[in-house]
Amino acid sequence: MARKRKLLLLGGTGEALRLARELDGHGRVECISSLAGRTGDPVLPPGRVRVGGFGGVPGLTTFLINEAIDLVLDATHPFAAQMANNAYRACAETSIPRAKLVRPPWAPSPGDRWTMMPSVTAAAIFLRFHPAQRIFLTLGRQEIGAFVPLGQAIADGAARNGGAKWFLSRMIDPPDDGGVPLPPGELVLGRGPFAPEAEKELMQKHGIDLLVTKNSGGAAGKIAAAAELRLPVLMIERPPLPPGEVLDSVGAALAWININAV
Ligand code: NAP
């Protein structure tokens, strides 16, 4: 019997998890899932799983060669630009077929009050001059630091930002002790997806008047809730993707794997 084709599935998303489940028991493909190890209690996919960085492009290239990987499916988050670029470069060097699975971004509907932001830092600067006072931040632990100086500027008495700002920060795991300080306000922990009704309730309970979010795409109660409450949204735009094939659904990724695993 022919050797199964070895697939490295770069994960950390719901799509990667669904794909690993679909590939479990596949007759021609052996899937190795890779997680960065960022969350403390990740939902583990079936099959072989490895956790932690590879050590940049050289480390990933060595892994691909040592493991005799035949295919790479990059199903990391649309904002995981470093990993996406590393995968592109390591696969180019080893001539291993690679594709990027990325869910479609959200698009504004008529009446939505979105302002597009090129980065988290740009959103924090923009907010300085915006009158919103109670802000819902749905960003990762590493990214909220950009909003801390905003709180300090307020403490110093800067009036141009319309008074003291307060932040409801939501993330999956709490920030490490001694790590990035939180912006002034409240912290809620939780892993999505969150239903629109629950999101609306949370925003109303805290008197939120502006949402900051990355354009992650996928199921998102917060987007529907913000639209219903007519809240302004600072929408952080996605980083550019590396060159190569882009797939926009788990079904398309499965088809790509089946075609390439011959
Ligand atoms: P990143 O900035 O692109 O990656 C930073 C480094 O983390 C990479 O260079 C790599 O380290 C390691 N890494 C990232 N994804 C990995 C994977 N699947 N397997 C092994 N190593 C990985 O990515 P990030 O924004 O920190 O995201 C890390 C993980 O969280 C990704 O798997 C992503 O899908 C998931 N995630 C990210 C976001 C987000 O908004 N960025 C949101 C939800 C989930 P080495 O260079 O040492 O190989």
Side-chain angles (χ1 to χ4, degrees):
M1 211 173 83
R3 167 179 97 80
K4 282 192 179 185
R5 311 294 276 169
K6 258 184 165 179
L7 169 79
L8 175 64
L9 175 58
L10 299 170
T13 55
E15 286 83 359
L17 189 61
R18 278 169 49 214
L19 198 49
R21 287 175 178 159
E22 291 284 346
L23 290 168
D24 194 25
H26 194 291
R28 285 183 290 120
V29 178
E30 179 195 342
C31 175
I32 303 173
S33 292
S34 176
L35 302 175
R38 296 274 186 276
T39 51
D41 183 22
V43 183
L44 288 178
R48 192 172 146 197
V49 181
R50 65 161 303 286
V51 180
F54 295 94
V57 178
L60 179 56
T61 305
T62 304
F63 181 90
L64 296 175
I65 293 167
N66 289 349
E67 290 284 344
I69 297 294
D70 298 294
L71 294 174
V72 174
L73 199 287
D74 174 2
T76 54
H77 192 268
F79 281 80
Q82 184 68 54
M83 190 68 247
N85 282 303
N86 289 357
Y88 163 69
R89 287 175 54 198
C91 289
E93 275 175 27
T94 50
S95 301
I96 293 172
R98 175 203 61 94
K100 172 83 191 168
L101 167 59
V102 67
R103 58 183 97 127
W106 298 313
S109 299
D112 281 351
R113 302 171 61 199
W114 293 13
T115 306
M116 309 307 262
M117 289 287 134
S119 66
V120 171
T121 309
I125 293 168
F126 182 87
L127 211 44
R128 242 170 221 277
F129 304 97
H130 194 283
Q133 294 189 334
R134 296 183 68 84
I135 293 118
F136 189 17
L137 281 183
T138 57
L139 303 169
R141 276 182 293 175
Q142 286 92 3
E143 293 145 327
I144 49 167
F147 296 86
V148 173
L150 210 60
Q152 285 158 3
I154 292 155
D156 291 347
R160 61 178 180 232
N161 49 27
K165 291 192 198 299
W166 180 95
F167 293 89
L168 178 65
S169 305
R170 183 170 67 197
M171 56 198 73
I172 296 176
D173 289 319
D176 307 328
D177 281 346
V180 181
L182 284 171
E186 212 173 300
L187 171 68
V188 274
L189 301 178
R191 192 195 300 266
F194 304 97
E197 266 317 302
E199 294 288 69
K200 190 176 154 193
E201 217 176 285
L202 182 72
M203 291 178 192
Q204 283 178 319
K205 179 179 151 199
H206 291 285
I208 296 300
D209 57 8
L210 183 141
L211 168 69
V212 182
T213 178
K214 290 186 281 188
N215 194 340
S216 300
K222 62 186 169 185
I223 302 299
E228 209 181 314
L229 296 170
R230 298 208 28 81
L231 294 184
V233 176
L234 298 191
M235 184 63 71
I236 320 282
E237 293 175 296
R238 293 177 173 193
L241 290 175
E245 190 146 7
V246 178
L247 311 162
D248 68 358
S249 68
V250 171
L254 267 176
W256 182 85
I257 290 164
N258 280 318
I259 289 166
N260 284 278
V262 285

